[in-house]
Amino acid sequence: MGELLLMKGNEAVGEGAIIANCRYFFGYPITPQTEILEYLARRLPEVGGAYVQAESEISAINMVFGAAAAGARVMTASSSPGISLMQEGISYIASAELPAVIVNVMRGSPGLGGIHPSQADYNQSVKCGGHGDYKLIVLAPASVQELIDFTILAFELAEQYRTPVVLFSDGMMGQMMEPVLLPEINTTPVDRPWATTGMNGRSPNIIHTLYLPADDLGNHVKQLFAKYDQIAANEKRHTQFMVEDAEIIVVSYGITSRVAKAAVEMARENGIKAGLFRPVTLWPFPDKALKKAAENAQLLIDVEISMGQMRDDVRLAINDRLPVDLYNRIGLVPTPEEIYEFIKSRAREVL
Amino acid sequence: MPKGYSRPQTLIDKPWHFCPGCNHGIIHRLCAEVIDEMGLQNQTIGVGSVGCGVFSYEYFNFDGIGPSHGRAPAVATGVKRVLPDRLVFTYQGDGDLAAIGTTEMVHSAVRGENITIIFVNNTLYGMTGGQMAPTTLMGQVTTTTPGGRSRNQAGYPFRVCEMLATMEGAAYIARGAVYNPAQVVKTKKAIKKAFATQMAGLGFSLVEVLSACPTNWGMNPIQALKFVEENMVPVFPLGEFKVTPIEAGV
């Protein structure tokens, strides 16, 4: 571990990528993501990598496809409308089984929306916004330190499973500054015998996504889903806080989970048995852990900066056994007081 | 006795899926011959396209990538930035390149991306059954211009080479055809120049090849070759539009 540094969230993602040995970045400016682009435009040449400012997010994601096919660690970043433009390319990357990291610094939407923090792209990434049967690993950090750590984790998971990984940030986390420790990791050279690097004596490597015979397509998709089953078995992650005796459990991810934790503490100080369950992987969703955490609860409250896109996954995890309320703000991160007031009012009615 | 004429090493021995009289086979072969002659089989990454050229990676005996429709130049950019010393080229038709992929094509040229595009222009979307493309000739009947392409409805044919030749990042731009042996030889030379331009690090290169589509034109192969010569060449004149002397490079 090195010294403690004060870093902005977007720059932390950039430095996390450098630490993870990512040497290629293709992107397009969009608020509130742009500092990732600016940071890597400066840093990548310093470490012998390459940065290309693409003419659109569509081109950026396809440059990612090419660089990943060529065997490189590669990343792109954008914000909600730009991530929408990347959906076709993400479907191709998933089908071609290429490792890549896609960062979404979510902003208000739909449409042009706004540039304030948002979590309204949950469905787009967790349920997969591109065409076809595929899955994406989706990681939800909640601090600038985690933006670094999870960027590194995203590369490791992408490489291990040869699959695209989405890292969720938002307009607040991208812009806020916090003290961070830059981890030192041992990067061992990765063998990518499948990469299209020029044959150099071997038989041709082909990376494609076309399977015209129905059986071939079926086998391909089934093989993808066998891999997804493995990911679901191995990679579900969450954290929880005071859930053991909790009667009300707040379920929240990313920036809102931190605010919700403060609200849960306020509730406890005021005699309400509240707890927090925070999914760290949104896909695979930590369903069994949530079901267990909710065993003694009477009410769950889903706190999000969206119209409740995660709520269906929460309800599924507990088999709809308990009511799942929604507390949300659109365009704003709720304050601890606001969430606490909601917990208090619901506690009065339900408990 | 040594054979005077044999299959290029970089062309896999398997039957084409192309229709009788289609020129894709000749153009594939020219790419393969040039790569053989330049000794680049082990250093080449081909990026295909969507359309009749979609299976190029099944015919070429080197590393290949199947990208999404129109995005081949962006994919090639990603490959080339990682592997700057390899030969990276795309093989795209006129629907793929000159319609949905216009942005990727133009901006690869804007960046002077050190890649080559082999652009096969047959004036329509062949794989989907003969719809109008940006390159369809005025008055030409396609399944989506049943009365012939008209100015009011669909504007004018898109001349890719002429536009790209205006760009500083473009190092070599040429248009050839394969309707007779002389043109085949000329087109092969253009492809070789384009690949040599890339290997010298001089920037973006593109070779357009006018190509017959007897099936969708409703002609026999001989009529179709004649159509290229008599109807396409006047709209898409053959020749070199931009040349950067290779000695000047790097």
Side-chain angles (χ1 to χ4, degrees), chain A residues 55 197-198 200-202 205 207, chain B residues 42 61 63-64 66 68 86 111:
Chain A
E55 62 273 20
T197 53
N200 210 11
R202 59 162 165 70
N205 279 345
I207 291 171
Chain B
N42 277 311
N61 189 13
D63 281 4
S68 58
R86 309 297 202 279
R111 289 190 303 272

Side-chain angles (χ1 to χ4, degrees), chain A residues 201-252:
Chain A
R202 59 162 165 70
S203 56
N205 279 345
I206 305 297
I207 291 171
H208 73 100
T209 61
L210 178 65
Y211 298 88
L212 281 182
D215 281 352
D216 290 0
L217 181 63
N219 291 336
H220 172 61
V221 171
K222 281 177 191 158
Q223 177 250 318
L224 285 179
F225 273 70
K227 178 172 78 175
Y228 299 146
D229 285 347
Q230 223 188 330
I231 295 170
N234 300 338
E235 305 300 344
K236 288 175 185 168
R237 287 155 208 248
H238 76 284
T239 65
Q240 56 190 40
F241 174 67
M242 303 196 84
V243 294
E244 288 71 19
D245 65 338
E247 292 172 323
I248 295 180
I249 294 179
V250 175
V251 186
S252 191

Side-chain angles (χ1 to χ4, degrees), chain B residues 21 23 121-123 137 175-180 183 209-214 217 219 221-238:
Chain B
N23 288 162
N121 177 1
N122 65 3
T123 73
L137 306 180
R175 183 183 289 124
V178 290
Y179 58 78
N180 67 27
Q183 294 302 336
V209 186
L210 305 184
S211 180
C213 184
W217 292 351
M219 298 177 188
I222 306 225
Q223 290 169 332
L225 291 176
K226 217 169 162 193
F227 183 86
V228 174
E229 184 175 8
E230 292 175 1
N231 297 72
M232 284 183 77
V233 171
V235 179
F236 302 111
L238 306 181

Side-chain angles (χ1 to χ4, degrees), chain A residues 11-30:
Chain A
E11 294 180 345
V13 170
E15 193 56 34
I18 300 282
I19 294 169
N21 231 6
C22 166
R23 290 294 175 269
Y24 299 91
F25 181 90
F26 304 93
Y28 185 85
I30 181 170

Side-chain angles (χ1 to χ4, degrees), chain A residues 206 208-213 216, chain B residues 11-12 14-18 24 28 46-62 64-67 91 127:
Chain A
I206 305 297
H208 73 100
T209 61
L210 178 65
Y211 298 88
L212 281 182
D216 290 0
Chain B
L11 204 55
I12 292 167
K14 67 182 285 187
W16 300 115
H17 75 281
F18 302 121
H24 266 300
H28 273 61
V47 182
S49 53
V50 175
C52 294
V54 72
F55 287 121
S56 60
Y57 55 74
E58 296 207 349
Y59 301 120
F60 287 133
N61 189 13
F62 45 72
I65 299 174
Y91 185 99
M127 182 66 103

Side-chain angles (χ1 to χ4, degrees), chain A residues 178-331:
Chain A
E178 287 189 306
V180 293
L181 281 169
L182 299 183
E184 283 163 19
I185 63 164
N186 297 321
T187 48
T188 43
V190 185
D191 193 25
R192 302 179 185 93
W194 44 265
T196 49
T197 53
M199 298 196 302
N200 210 11
R202 59 162 165 70
S203 56
N205 279 345
I206 305 297
I207 291 171
H208 73 100
T209 61
L210 178 65
Y211 298 88
L212 281 182
D215 281 352
D216 290 0
L217 181 63
N219 291 336
H220 172 61
V221 171
K222 281 177 191 158
Q223 177 250 318
L224 285 179
F225 273 70
K227 178 172 78 175
Y228 299 146
D229 285 347
Q230 223 188 330
I231 295 170
N234 300 338
E235 305 300 344
K236 288 175 185 168
R237 287 155 208 248
H238 76 284
T239 65
Q240 56 190 40
F241 174 67
M242 303 196 84
V243 294
E244 288 71 19
D245 65 338
E247 292 172 323
I248 295 180
I249 294 179
V250 175
V251 186
S252 191
Y253 71 92
I255 189 67
T256 50
S257 68
R258 277 175 78 174
V259 184
K261 190 180 177 198
V264 164
E265 284 168 343
M266 289 166 77
R268 286 279 173 174
E269 282 161 20
N270 289 283
I272 301 168
K273 286 184 176 172
L276 171 72
F277 184 91
R278 174 195 161 207
V280 168
T281 50
L282 301 180
W283 192 85
F285 191 80
D287 46 3
K288 289 194 178 74
L290 176 55
K291 189 180 178 189
K292 188 164 185 300
E295 265 170 7
N296 301 315
Q298 295 182 50
L299 171 71
L300 302 191
I301 301 172
D302 174 34
V303 177
E304 290 186 67
I305 319 174
S306 84
M307 292 307 288
Q309 295 188 14
M310 184 175 66
R311 183 153 64 156
D312 287 347
D313 283 336
V314 174
R315 290 173 58 185
L316 267 175
I318 60 162
N319 289 335
D320 246 343
R321 195 179 59 82
L322 299 168
V324 181
D325 282 5
L326 171 67
Y327 183 76
N328 66 343
R329 298 297 303 266
I330 302 297

